[in-house]
Amino acid sequence: SSHEHKLNFTKSKEVCLSYIQDAMLQKQWKRAAEFLTSYVEALEKDYSREPIGPSEMIWRIGTEILCHHSHSSMREFNCFIEQMKTLGIKRYLKVCLEHVFHLLCNGQTDEAYQNLSLAESWRFGEQAAIQDKEMKLIRAYRGLLDYHSWSKQKNILLEHGLDGFADLSVEQEMHSSFRKAAVNLKEIIKIPGVWDLFVKCYVDLLEFYGDHNEAHQVLNEYAYNSKFPANPNAHVYLYQFLKRHGESKKSLVSALKILHDIAPSHELMIDFNTMLQKSKKRKKRRLGLEVIFAALDYAGWKENAKAWSCLARQVKQIVISDKHLDWIKQEWNCRKDWWPAFHFSRYLAKRNWQENKSLSYEKALVAGILLGKDCKYFKYVSHQGCKAQVKRFRMLKKFVNRHNPVYLRICS
Amino acid sequence: PRRGGTGEMWEPADAAAVPVLPPCAGCWIPSPSPQDILYRNSGCRKLRPGKSGARLDFAKQLGHFFMDHPEDAFGSMGRLLHKNFYLGNSKLQVSVCLGRMVLSPSIPLAVSTSASSSLQRPARNSTIRMTALMEDIDRLEARRGCHRQHLASRLRWFSHLCREWLFEVPLGLLADCLHEELMLQWSDLLFNDSLTGGALAWLPPRDTGSCIGRLVHPGGQAMNQLYFQDMVLEKLPHTRGFPAQFELSGRIWQVAAAQVDGEDFVGVRSDYHCGVWRVPGRTGAVPTPLQVIQTDLPASCLTVSPHLPGELAVCTQSGTMYLWNVETGLQQLRHDTETMFFRDHSPWRWSDFTAHPRVLSCADRTGLQCLDARAPRKCHFDLFKVGEEAGCQQGERVVLPMYLGRAHPSQYLVTTQFSVYMLDERLPLVPMLKWAHMMKAPPLFAQLMPGHSGRSHKVVLGASSSQELLLLQYQGERYWGSQSACQLAGAPQKLHSIAGCLQHLPTQLPHRHHLLQQRLGAPAAGLAATLQEDGPQESMLVFQLSEAGDVFCQRLTHKAEAELPQESCASPQPTPAVPSPAAALQYRRWLRTLFRGCGKPPQHTWTPSLSQRRLFTRRDLEGPAGPSALQSQVRQWLRQVMREGGRIQHWEPLALQPPALPQPPEPVGSPDPLSTRLMEAWSGDWEQWWEERTSFSVAQRQQALRERRRRQKRARARRSLSASFTSSLTYQSELSELSDAGPPLPSPGRPPVLSQEGSPPASSQLAASPPPSPAPEEALLSSQSLRCRGIPKERRKTLRDYLSVWATEPPDSPELPSSQASQLCIPSSQSQLSSASQTRRKRPRMGF
C-alpha cells in the first residue's frame, strides 16, 4: 500500500502541476500561486528521478509568478530567491545568476553586483566544483558589471577632464574596476563559445589603455580559432577594429572575405562591394561582382535599393567598358533560371514602381542588360518612366536599347 | 535573459472556440483507439509508451479479416468445393440409373451431367452434407456472449481438418502483413507524424481593406475533399458562397500555402500524391490545379516556396528530397536512407525553404541541414543538431522545423517534443533562443504572424492529440548583431481548444453527449492563424481543424498599452465565462446540423436469434397457414383496446397465475411465508411460528409424498386409457413448471375473452388433477411426458431451455383441431408445441 500511496502522491502531484501550468498559461497568476502553495508539499517526498525535480519546478514557477503577479514586490522576490538558493544546493549558482538578471532588468545594478560577489565566494564542498561552468559565468558577469562601472567613471573623468579637473580617487577606482573586469573577461573568452558581449567589452577596455596588440590578438583568436563556432559577429568586430585603427585595405578585405564566406547576406557586403569596386585589381573587382550578386540572392535583400544600385553601377561599368562580360555571364548562368521570377516579374515591376521609383530604376537597368529590352520588368518600368516623363528613365531606355547585343552575348 | 519586455496583450473575445463551418455531411468514423488494437486483457496494465510492451490483439484482427473479406479469404476454395458441400435439408441419396448418377434432390443438373461424363466414382463419396455443421455454427453465433459457450465437437473436428487449407491467403504472409499494419496503427496512435504541418491554410485577403479571405481545408468522410471556402472576417467569421471543391484520391494530410507575387500557391499532400493549386489574387477567382505528382513511398513533407511561384519542396519517407517546380519538374536534391547525425529509426523527413531561394533545409529527427539546390552534394552546412550545442535532453527529437522568413529572413523555428528553438542560419548550430514549451503532445503545427515596425512576432504552436494551442511572442531584431537579441516577449498564452467548447454547448442526451465528446475530442489536424485590423481594433483569428473535419475559430483582441490601467497589466481580465449570444447561436446551429447528419447511425444491434429448425424437423413445424381464429380474435380485441386507450384487465391475473400453481399450497388469502415470518418476529412469538412451521412442513412433505404416489398410479392408468388427455394434462403441469422457471411473460396472444369461457374446463381440470407437487417431481414428470411423446433425450433439455427463454409467439401457429377444446386455454405460444406433440403422438397409432 505504500507503493500505492506513492503512486497516488505522484499522480496528484502531476495533476497539481498541470493546474498550475494551466493557470499560468491563461495568465491567472493568483490562481497559479494558490496551486503552487499546495505543490510545495511535493518537496516532502521527492522520489522523482526526472530531469527537473519539484524543487527546481517550484523555483521556476515561483519566479515566473512573482514576475507577473500584480501584488508582488522586489523584496518578496528577493526573499523567495534566497529560499530557493538554500533549497537547491545543486543549482545554487544558476539561481544566483537568474536572480542577478532579474535585478539588472529592474535596474538594481548595485544589488546585482553584491549578489554576484557573494555567489563568487560561495563554497560548498564538491558542489562548487561541479558548478564550475556557472561559476565562470558569474565571474564573467561580474566582470561585465565592473566594465559597466568603469565606463561610467570613464565618462565622468572625460567630462571633468575637459575642465582640467581630475579626481584622483575616481581615476583610481576606475583603474581598479578595469583590472577586475579585465581579469574576469579574459577568462571567459578563452572558453570556446559565443561571447560577443564580453569580447566587445574586453576589447573596449584594452583599446582605451592602448593595448592594441592584445586587442587584435583577442579578436583574431575569437574570429579564427576553429574551436569556436563560426560566428559572423567575430569577423564583424575584427573588421571594425581594423577599420578603426586604419589598417591596410588588404587586411580589411581579407576580414570581409571570410565574413562573405560565412554570411553572404551580411549588410557589410555593400561596404565590401564598394571597396572592391574601387580596387584596381581585376580579381578584386571580380570578387566584388560576386559579392553583390550573392547578396542579392537573399530574400532579405530583395528591396535593398543600395545593393541594387551597387550592382547596376558595376554592371553598367562592365557593359560600357565592354570588358569582362564573361564575369557577368558566369554569375548570370547559375541564376538565369530563377532570378527572372524572383526579381524581375511583372508583379514586382508594378509594386516596385509604386513603392520605390529609384529601386525600380536600378532594377530595370540590371534587368534590361541581363534579360534584354523585351524583359517584362524593364518594359513595364521604362514605359511607366517615360509616361511620367522622368528623364532618368528615358536615358535608361536609350542605354539598354543601345547595349541590347550585350544581352545576346550573356545569354549565349 | 530569455524573456525581455512585456508582450502585447491579447485577450480571447469569447469563452470558447466557435465552429465556423457546418459539420461535414456523413458520419465521421473515429480513428482507432488503443482499445481497438491492444489485446483486451492487457487493458488494465498501464501503457508505457517508451517500452514496446504493447500487446496487439492479433487474433481479433485476423478474425476481422476473415469476417470482412470472406471473398478474399475463402473465395476460390469455396468455388472449388461447392460441388462437394451439400447444404440441403433432406438426406443425401444417390440413385444410379443407366450409369448416370443423380444426386437427389438439389444438386444442379449441370453438375450431375458433368459428373456423369467425367467422373465414374460415386459422387456420394465426394459430397458431404453441411447442414448440421451450419446449424452448429448458427448456434455458436447465437450463444456468443453466453458464458457456457462450448464448442460443438463437430465444429472442432471440422476446423481441425480444414485449418490448413481452407483459406486462400497464406496465413504466414497474412500474419506478417497484419502485424506490420497493427504496428503501424499503433505507432500512429502514439504519434502520427503524417499530420506534421497541418491540413489547414488561410489565404489572407489581397488588399488590406478587404475582409474576405479564404480557408483551404480538407473534408468529407475520408478527408479526401479539398475545399476552398471564402470567409468573411467579422466578429465571428462566416462563410460566403459555396466552396470550390476538389475530390482527391487520398486522405489529405497537409495543406501548405504561400503567397508569391500576389498569388497564392497551395500545396496538398496525401500519402502517395502531392498536388499544387494556384489561387489568383482576385477575390472570388477559381483556384486552378496546376500539377500532381505521384510518389512511390509516402510523402512526409510538402512546403511551398515563399520566393518563387510554383516551386515546392517534397520529401518522401526514408530520405529522398526533391525540389519541385511546376514548369521544370522534379529535381532530386538528396537521397539518403540514413539519418543525418545519428541513427534514428524514424523515416520522417522534412524540408523547408531558407532566405536563399536556392538553398533548402532538409530535416530528419536528428537535426537540420541546409543544402544548395545548385550543388546539393557539395554545398551544405548543418543548421541544427540534436546534441550538446543546443543543450538537448536525452531522447529529444526534431518534430517540426519552420522557416520564419516573413518575420525575419534568416530565422528558423525548430520544435522538439520538449522545447522550442530559434535559429539564425548565419550562426548555425547555436540556437538563439531555447524555451521548454511543456506541452502534453509534441507541437506538430506552427503558424507565424509577423509583427511589423518593432512589434513582437507571434507564433502559435499546436499539438495534435491533445489539441493544445500555445501563443508565443518573440522579438527578433531586423539585423542581427545590433542592439536587441532574440527574446520571448511576455508570457506564453494558452488558447482555447476545440474540446473546450463542450461545456458551453447546450445539455445533450447522454448518448449524444458521448458522441459530441468523441467528436470534439478528435485529434487536431491543422492550424491557421491570421491578424486582422478593422479600424482601431486589432484582432487575431486562430482556426483549428480536427480530424473529424470540423473547423473551429477563436478571436483574440489586442489591448493596447494605453487602454490598460496599470494594475491589469499583470492580471488581465479573465476570459468571458459564457459564450456570446452570437456564439451560442452558432453552437446551436452546428449541433442541429450535426445531429441531423448523424441522427441515424448504422444500427448493428445484433439480437441473438435461435433457429427452430434444429429443434424440430420441418414436418413438426408445418402447420396450417394463417393465424388461428383464436389469434385473429385476440388481435382484433387488442387493437380495439388500443384504439380506445383502455386497459387489458382480464388477462393479467391469468398470466400471473397459471392454472397449476407452482407454490406449495398455502391457505388462500394468507400472506407469503416471509411476511408472516416477519410479522411474527415483530410481534415477538417467532419461535412459536417456527415450531408450527416445521411441523407443518413435515406434514406437508408427507402429504406431498402421498400425492405423488397417487398421481403416478393415476398416470399409469391414464396412459392406457387416453393418451391425448394425458398429454394435455402433463403438458399443463409442465407449462406451470416452465412459467415458474422463467418470468411470467404475458403472451400477447392470450385470449382474455376466451379465458372466461375456458376457465370452467381449466378449473375442472385443476380439480380433477391432483394438487400440484413440488418442482422436482414436476421435472421428473415432464421429462417422462416428453419421453413418452417421443422426444429424444438429448432434445428435452434444449426444448426446456428454449421454452423458458423464448416464450414469444411464433410467426405462425397452427390452428387447433376443434376436438381439443380443452386445450384452448393453453397460451397460444405453446399451442404449436402441443399440436406437434399431438401429431407425433398420433402417428404411431395410425401405423397400428
Side-chain angles (χ1 to χ4, degrees):
Chain A
S1 80
S2 85
H3 176 72
E4 200 175 299
H5 176 74
K6 223 188 267 186
L7 245 150
N8 285 340
F9 187 70
T10 340
K11 218 181 225 170
S12 55
K13 214 169 70 183
E14 274 166 22
V15 169
C16 185
L17 198 60
S18 74
Y19 280 150
I20 298 176
Q21 193 193 357
D22 207 55
M24 286 175 72
L25 287 176
Q26 292 177 48
K27 306 199 178 178
Q28 299 165 346
W29 306 111
K30 224 175 208 169
R31 213 179 103 210
E34 277 160 23
F35 281 125
L36 184 64
T37 50
S38 317
Y39 188 72
V40 170
E41 265 184 54
L43 283 175
E44 280 186 26
K45 294 178 189 115
D46 184 2
Y47 305 113
S48 61
R49 297 265 174 282
E50 288 137 38
I52 300 175
S55 60
E56 182 162 5
M57 246 2 153
I58 290 172
W59 165 49
R60 290 191 184 282
I61 293 169
T63 320
E64 194 67 34
I65 292 174
L66 284 174
C67 280
H68 291 97
H69 201 287
S70 51
H71 298 299
S72 76
S73 67
M74 205 59 210
R75 209 173 59 82
E76 271 173 318
F77 188 86
N78 293 342
C79 198
F80 175 76
I81 291 293
E82 286 310 318
Q83 277 180 351
M84 287 302 113
K85 279 179 192 170
T86 50
L87 194 62
I89 293 299
K90 280 181 197 164
R91 49 174 184 280
Y92 181 89
L93 294 178
K94 217 172 174 179
V95 179
C96 287
L97 205 55
E98 296 256 348
H99 186 201
V100 167
F101 289 152
H102 188 80
L103 290 171
L104 286 175
C105 284
N106 284 284
Q108 300 181 328
T109 321
D110 294 341
E111 284 87 343
Y113 191 84
Q114 263 173 28
N115 265 298
L116 282 174
S117 315
L118 266 175
E120 214 177 325
S121 59
W122 179 73
R123 292 288 175 276
F124 197 90
E126 279 181 357
Q127 287 298 332
I130 290 169
Q131 299 176 35
D132 184 44
K133 238 192 216 163
E134 281 84 1
M135 190 55 104
K136 276 178 185 149
L137 274 175
I138 285 197
R139 292 213 188 96
Y141 275 100
R142 199 169 67 89
L144 199 67
L145 288 185
D146 280 325
Y147 167 80
H148 181 72
S149 62
W150 172 82
S151 67
K152 252 203 297 200
Q153 284 146 4
K154 183 188 80 176
N155 286 341
I156 295 168
L157 275 185
L158 284 178
E159 267 174 42
H160 291 264
L162 287 177
D163 306 339
F165 171 77
D167 191 335
L168 211 73
S169 69
V170 173
E171 200 179 330
Q172 256 174 6
E173 218 177 292
M174 180 182 120
H175 292 320
S176 85
S177 294
F178 158 71
R179 270 189 297 277
K180 278 190 274 182
V183 168
N184 283 329
L185 290 177
K186 194 177 174 182
E187 274 314 299
I188 191 82
I189 58 181
K190 275 183 191 161
I191 307 164
V194 180
W195 307 119
D196 289 358
L197 196 60
F198 302 124
V199 168
K200 257 174 113 170
C201 297
Y202 188 51
V203 168
D204 192 23
L205 286 175
L206 292 175
E207 275 188 278
F208 184 79
Y209 288 99
D211 197 349
H212 297 311
N213 281 341
E214 173 76 6
H216 193 172
Q217 208 182 331
V218 164
L219 284 173
N220 256 336
E221 177 78 7
Y222 191 52
Y224 293 117
N225 191 339
S226 59
K227 278 182 196 156
F228 283 69
N231 183 352
N233 275 352
H235 299 278
V236 173
Y237 298 148
L238 183 63
Y239 166 75
Q240 283 165 346
F241 175 82
L242 295 174
K243 203 175 166 189
R244 268 201 302 275
H245 294 280
E247 292 286 328
S248 66
K249 253 214 175 119
K250 202 179 154 193
S251 55
L252 287 179
V253 166
S254 69
L256 283 179
K257 174 82 176 62
I258 289 175
L259 183 64
H260 166 68
D261 290 342
I262 298 175
S265 60
H266 201 277
E267 60 262 42
L268 277 177
M269 289 306 116
I270 290 184
D271 296 12
F272 191 32
N273 173 264
T274 32
M275 203 190 292
L276 292 170
Q277 264 193 54
K278 282 181 203 152
S279 171
K280 290 198 180 77
K281 284 186 188 158
R282 261 197 314 180
K283 219 173 162 186
K284 287 206 175 139
R285 269 181 291 151
R286 166 90 215 252
L287 181 65
L289 191 70
E290 255 178 65
V291 164
I292 199 70
F293 259 111
L296 284 170
D297 279 349
Y298 284 87
W301 289 69
K302 243 180 142 171
E303 277 154 26
N304 192 324
K306 224 170 171 185
W308 278 109
S309 81
C310 283
L311 180 63
R313 198 188 323 142
Q314 196 161 8
V315 166
K316 204 170 163 185
Q317 241 175 36
I318 291 172
V319 169
I320 289 170
S321 67
D322 205 20
K323 263 189 258 173
H324 312 306
L325 269 178
D326 54 321
W327 294 355
I328 298 180
K329 192 177 165 178
Q330 219 158 11
E331 291 300 321
W332 183 239
N333 251 343
C334 60
R335 291 183 173 86
K336 65 181 171 195
D337 55 334
W338 58 280
W339 264 41
F342 187 51
H343 284 308
F344 304 128
S345 68
R346 193 181 157 77
Y347 174 84
L348 279 176
K350 253 188 221 173
R351 219 181 66 184
N352 289 342
W353 174 257
Q354 273 168 17
E355 288 170 4
N356 190 343
K357 300 267 187 311
S358 64
L359 170 72
S360 68
Y361 171 82
E362 308 289 358
K363 273 179 85 172
L365 176 65
V366 176
I369 289 167
L370 294 175
L371 288 164
K373 61 181 171 149
D374 293 329
C375 133
K376 278 179 256 169
Y377 194 95
F378 171 75
K379 254 170 117 173
Y380 181 85
V381 171
S382 62
H383 180 74
Q384 292 291 327
C386 293
K387 220 163 72 179
Q389 304 225 324
V390 185
K391 196 184 166 200
R392 203 151 65 124
F393 286 93
R394 232 175 295 149
M395 300 277 287
L396 169 74
K397 199 170 180 181
K398 246 187 234 166
F399 178 82
V400 169
N401 280 339
R402 194 173 341 125
H403 293 282
N404 205 37
V406 172
Y407 149 69
L408 297 172
R409 277 163 67 190
I410 290 169
C411 264
S412 62
Chain B
R2 282 169 296 190
R3 189 161 306 158
T6 50
E8 294 168 12
M9 295 289 296
W10 288 91
E11 276 177 12
D14 220 324
V18 179
V20 287
L21 298 173
C24 60
C27 251
W28 167 63
I29 305 149
S31 43
S33 65
Q35 289 83 10
D36 295 338
I37 295 178
L38 286 182
Y39 187 58
R40 201 183 298 156
N41 287 358
S42 68
C44 53
R45 220 183 299 158
K46 203 183 167 196
L47 298 172
R48 267 162 281 172
K51 291 184 180 175
S52 57
R55 281 174 61 194
L56 307 172
D57 197 350
F58 187 72
K60 192 172 97 185
Q61 306 292 337
L62 200 62
H64 282 324
F65 172 76
F66 285 142
M67 296 293 281
D68 296 342
H69 305 276
E71 212 29 57
D72 294 336
F74 308 107
S76 46
M77 196 54 93
R79 268 191 293 283
L80 271 178
L81 286 177
H82 90 278
K83 290 175 208 166
N84 307 70
F85 283 173
Y86 170 56
L87 293 170
N89 233 334
S90 61
K91 260 196 163 175
L92 202 63
Q93 289 169 354
V94 183
S95 57
V96 182
C97 50
L98 300 169
R100 279 176 62 163
M101 293 161 297
V102 179
L103 287 172
S104 71
S106 64
I107 296 293
L109 195 68
V111 176
S112 59
T113 48
S114 72
S116 71
S117 57
S118 59
L119 304 174
Q120 284 305 313
R121 64 194 167 86
R124 173 74 188 82
N125 288 352
S126 60
T127 310
I128 42 173
R129 190 165 169 272
M130 298 297 290
T131 320
L133 198 69
M134 295 301 289
E135 281 169 1
D136 275 347
I137 291 171
D138 278 352
R139 200 172 318 159
L140 213 66
E141 281 283 287
R143 290 218 170 178
R144 185 187 282 176
C146 173
H147 287 297
R148 271 172 294 168
Q149 191 184 89
H150 36 81
L151 208 70
S153 62
R154 204 176 346 204
L155 274 180
R156 199 164 45 227
W157 160 81
F158 183 76
S159 67
H160 185 72
L161 274 181
C162 308
R163 187 160 48 201
E164 301 298 317
W165 51 266
L166 193 60
F167 31 77
E168 257 334 89
V169 193
L171 250 203
L173 197 69
L174 182 67
D176 282 348
C177 293
L178 187 63
H179 194 254
E180 200 179 310
E181 174 64 21
L182 277 175
M183 288 306 283
L184 209 73
Q185 293 262 354
W186 178 244
S187 65
D188 270 3
L189 208 62
L190 290 179
F191 176 59
N192 187 356
D193 56 18
S194 304
L195 288 167
T196 312
L200 190 65
W202 172 255
L203 313 182
R206 229 34 55 89
D207 28 313
T208 44
S210 156
C211 59
I212 298 170
R214 213 171 255 193
L215 201 62
V216 189
H217 65 98
Q221 221 162 338
M223 294 285 264
N224 66 332
Q225 309 269 355
L226 182 69
Y227 295 98
F228 293 81
Q229 173 72 57
D230 278 346
M231 301 287 294
V232 183
L233 297 183
E234 280 166 6
K235 229 170 173 128
L236 276 177
H238 58 89
T239 56
R240 201 192 71 152
F242 290 102
Q245 184 180 349
F246 297 88
E247 187 178 331
L248 311 189
S249 63
R251 186 198 159 129
I252 296 168
W253 290 112
Q254 193 194 348
V255 175
Q259 203 177 70
V260 191
D261 283 2
E263 286 182 317
D264 283 302
F265 288 85
V266 177
V268 174
R269 166 170 69 87
S270 64
D271 268 336
Y272 294 97
H273 295 93
C274 294
V276 58
W277 273 256
R278 183 176 57 210
V279 186
R282 290 162 285 129
T283 38
V286 187
T288 44
L290 295 180
Q291 214 166 55
V292 176
I293 56 165
Q294 188 178 2
T295 56
D296 287 340
L297 284 166
S300 64
C301 153
L302 182 68
T303 43
V304 187
S305 169
H307 308 302
L308 294 170
E311 202 160 88
L312 300 98
V314 187
C315 287
T316 61
Q317 282 182 6
S318 305
T320 318
M321 176 188 157
Y322 300 95
L323 180 64
W324 173 22
N325 191 301
V326 172
E327 271 156 33
T328 59
L330 288 169
Q331 181 196 354
Q332 183 177 327
L333 297 186
R334 188 189 156 94
H335 178 75
D336 191 358
T337 49
E338 299 288 305
T339 45
M340 285 184 291
F341 300 111
F342 53 88
R343 202 176 283 268
D344 188 89
H345 68 276
S346 171
W348 176 86
R349 299 290 185 277
W350 195 261
S351 174
D352 208 339
F353 290 84
T354 67
H356 192 298
R358 292 289 102 180
V359 178
L360 274 79
S361 75
C362 156
D364 57 32
R365 295 272 176 236
T366 66
L368 263 86
Q369 236 174 28
C370 288
L371 39 91
D372 196 319
R374 293 165 296 187
R377 255 160 249 271
K378 278 187 284 174
C379 296
H380 55 79
F381 64 90
D382 302 342
L383 180 60
F384 178 80
K385 212 193 288 190
V386 172
E388 211 181 346
E389 286 101 328
C392 294
Q393 281 183 48
Q394 198 174 8
E396 192 161 347
R397 295 287 183 272
V398 174
V399 172
L400 173 73
M402 187 166 87
Y403 173 51
L404 300 176
R406 288 196 295 146
H408 186 280
S410 64
Q411 277 177 358
Y412 237 87
L413 176 85
V414 174
T415 64
T416 67
Q417 69 267 52
F418 304 122
S419 301
V420 174
Y421 298 88
M422 301 284 288
L423 297 161
D424 193 301
E425 58 180 62
R426 288 168 297 181
L427 181 52
L429 295 174
V430 187
M432 295 186 297
L433 181 79
K434 177 185 174 175
W435 180 69
H437 54 68
M438 291 172 85
M439 286 165 87
K440 289 184 193 81
L444 282 177
F445 322 119
Q447 280 288 319
L448 170 74
M449 285 164 281
H452 295 290
S453 58
R455 292 183 50 188
S456 63
H457 308 299
K458 290 107 199 154
V459 173
V460 182
L461 297 178
S464 170
S465 54
S466 59
Q467 292 189 351
E468 290 163 287
L469 288 177
L470 213 56
L471 171 68
L472 301 180
Q473 300 180 47
Y474 75 96
Q475 273 161 340
E477 50 14 317
R478 185 98 194 124
Y479 291 110
W480 197 72
S482 60
Q483 301 302 313
S484 68
C486 188
Q487 288 180 323
L488 285 183
Q493 192 177 343
K494 188 183 175 179
L495 307 183
H496 300 307
S497 63
I498 293 180
C501 76
L502 188 66
Q503 52 179 323
H504 300 292
L505 294 177
T507 317
Q508 299 290 325
L509 291 173
H511 72 281
R512 286 191 165 181
H513 181 82
H514 179 73
L515 200 76
L516 260 183
Q517 211 170 13
Q518 203 177 24
R519 177 135 183 158
L520 296 175
L527 170 68
T530 182
L531 287 178
Q532 188 217 354
E533 259 175 85
D534 40 348
Q537 183 79 336
E538 199 183 0
S539 56
M540 179 191 297
L541 286 158
V542 180
F543 297 93
Q544 197 178 16
L545 169 79
S546 82
E547 270 192 359
D550 299 323
V551 181
F552 279 61
C553 172
Q554 58 192 302
R555 205 165 66 96
L556 291 99
T557 48
H558 180 220
K559 292 272 179 295
E561 299 293 322
E563 289 176 33
L564 290 168
Q566 284 301 73
E567 189 69 355
S568 72
C569 217
S571 59
Q573 295 126 8
T575 56
V578 284
S580 61
L585 184 71
Q586 196 84 357
Y587 283 137
R588 274 204 297 280
R589 211 174 285 160
W590 186 79
L591 279 176
R592 209 182 309 134
T593 328
L594 176 71
F595 287 126
R596 200 184 297 142
C598 291
K600 289 151 270 162
Q603 292 260 322
H604 285 296
T605 44
W606 193 79
T607 46
S609 59
L610 211 64
S611 165
Q612 295 165 328
R613 282 221 318 257
R614 59 198 166 71
L615 284 173
F616 310 100
T617 61
R618 189 182 292 169
R619 212 163 307 157
D620 290 341
L621 295 175
E622 259 168 23
S628 66
L630 175 65
Q631 277 175 328
S632 56
Q633 200 175 354
V634 166
R635 283 199 189 122
Q636 207 179 346
W637 176 75
L638 193 67
R639 264 186 223 116
Q640 189 193 340
V641 168
M642 281 167 77
R643 246 200 316 277
E644 288 163 1
R647 257 181 297 172
I648 304 164
Q649 285 168 337
H650 298 298
W651 104 38
E652 214 75 47
L654 201 83
L656 291 171
Q657 290 176 0
L661 277 173
Q663 297 282 330
E666 291 264 65
V668 182
S670 78
D672 60 312
L674 183 68
S675 331
T676 43
R677 181 173 151 190
L678 285 174
M679 259 156 63
E680 296 297 331
W682 271 108
S683 54
D685 40 6
W686 180 78
E687 251 173 78
Q688 199 195 335
W689 175 81
W690 181 245
E691 286 291 308
E692 271 174 33
R693 166 91 190 166
T694 40
S695 58
F696 170 72
S697 65
V698 167
Q700 193 189 24
R701 248 179 278 153
Q702 283 171 346
Q703 165 87 4
L705 213 64
R706 234 173 278 135
E707 284 289 332
R708 195 173 103 187
R709 222 172 287 137
R710 206 185 328 154
R711 204 154 38 161
Q712 275 174 349
K713 237 185 268 170
R714 205 187 300 172
R716 239 176 275 135
R718 255 196 226 125
R719 207 179 297 160
S720 56
L721 276 172
S722 157
S724 65
F725 181 67
T726 319
S727 77
S728 76
L729 177 84
T730 47
Y731 175 73
Q732 291 238 328
S733 60
E734 178 196 302
L735 178 72
S736 71
E737 175 206 290
L738 290 171
S739 59
D740 185 28
L745 292 166
S747 47
R750 184 171 296 217
V753 188
L754 274 173
S755 72
Q756 285 175 336
E757 269 179 44
S759 52
S763 57
S764 68
Q765 207 176 347
L766 255 181
S769 66
S773 47
E777 273 178 307
E778 288 285 346
L780 180 77
L781 208 113
S782 66
S783 67
Q784 272 176 354
S785 74
L786 284 172
R787 192 178 58 210
C788 70
R789 254 178 284 161
I791 293 172
K793 198 179 176 186
E794 308 86 65
R795 282 196 183 173
R796 275 176 228 150
K797 175 83 175 67
T798 339
L799 183 62
R800 250 174 281 133
D801 286 351
Y802 172 75
L803 288 172
S804 67
V805 179
W806 309 107
T808 47
E809 181 192 10
D812 51 342
S813 348
E815 201 158 5
L816 292 173
S818 55
S819 63
Q820 291 168 351
S822 67
Q823 281 183 324
L824 282 178
C825 63
I826 298 162
S828 65
S829 62
Q830 273 89 23
S831 62
Q832 54 133 15
L833 177 73
S834 68
S835 86
S837 65
Q838 280 301 314
T839 47
R840 243 169 204 272
R841 287 286 309 151
K842 270 177 189 161
R843 232 185 321 156
R845 277 208 293 175
M846 280 154 77
F848 275 133

